[in-house]
Amino acid sequence: MNNHQTEESMSQKSSTEAMKYGERQILEGELITFPNPRVGRRYSINITLPEYTCKCPFSGYPDFATIHVTYVPDERVVELKALKLYINSYRDRYISHEESINQILDDFVAACAPHSATIKGDFSPRGNVHTVIEVSHQK
C-alpha cells in the first residue's frame, strides 16, 4: 500500500470514528416494524415529521418540509424512532420533492404492507413557490 492509500484509509477510518452516534444511526437507519397489536381492527395512525430536509438536485439548495404519514396498518406497524431516522437519512440526498415523497411511500409500503397509506410532503416556500406532494397506496 502506498502512502496516499494509507493516508486515505486513515482519513476514512478517522472520519467514521469521528461520526456522532446519531449520524451512525441515521446512516444505518431502516424502517423497522413490529406486530400490529390489533390485527383485524381498522384504525388510522397519523404521524407528523416537521423537520424533513433534502437537497435540490438542480441547485443543491436545501429543501425543508413537514411530512405527514397516515396509514391503516394490517399485520405490521412502523416503529417511530426508526421512521424518524429513516426520514433524517434524506438530509444529504439530492432528490426532487416529487421523487422523495414517492420513494418514502414505496419504502413505507415495502416495510409494513398497510391496508392503505398516504404520504404528504408540505414543502416550505422557496422562491415564492409552495409545493405540496401527496401520494397514496391502497391494498
Side-chain angles (χ1 to χ4, degrees), residues 102-116:
N102 276 283
Q103 186 62 57
I104 292 167
L105 178 67
D106 290 347
D107 293 345
F108 191 87
V109 169
C112 69
H115 286 293
S116 64

Side-chain angles (χ1 to χ4, degrees), residues 5 16 22 27 33 36 38 40 43 51 54 60 63 67 76 97 99 106 114 117-118 122 124 127 131-132 138:
Q5 290 171 323
T16 303
L27 189 62
T33 63
N36 180 356
R38 293 293 181 141
Y43 63 97
E51 298 177 351
C54 63
D63 285 318
I67 305 296
R76 309 291 300 170
H97 298 172
E99 179 58 21
D106 290 347
T118 299
D122 186 348
S124 298
T131 308
V132 178
Q138 281 291 110

Side-chain angles (χ1 to χ4, degrees), residues 2 8 18-19 29 39-40 53 56 58 82-83 87 101 120 122 125:
N2 67 35
E8 186 176 309
M19 288 179 86
V39 174
T53 63
C56 174
F58 306 106
L83 179 59
I87 289 296
I101 302 308
K120 181 170 90 171
D122 186 348

Side-chain angles (χ1 to χ4, degrees), residues 64-80:
F64 303 93
T66 297
I67 305 296
H68 301 273
V69 177
T70 302
Y71 73 108
V72 176
D74 189 1
E75 294 185 18
R76 309 291 300 170
V77 176
V78 171
E79 197 272 324
L80 295 177

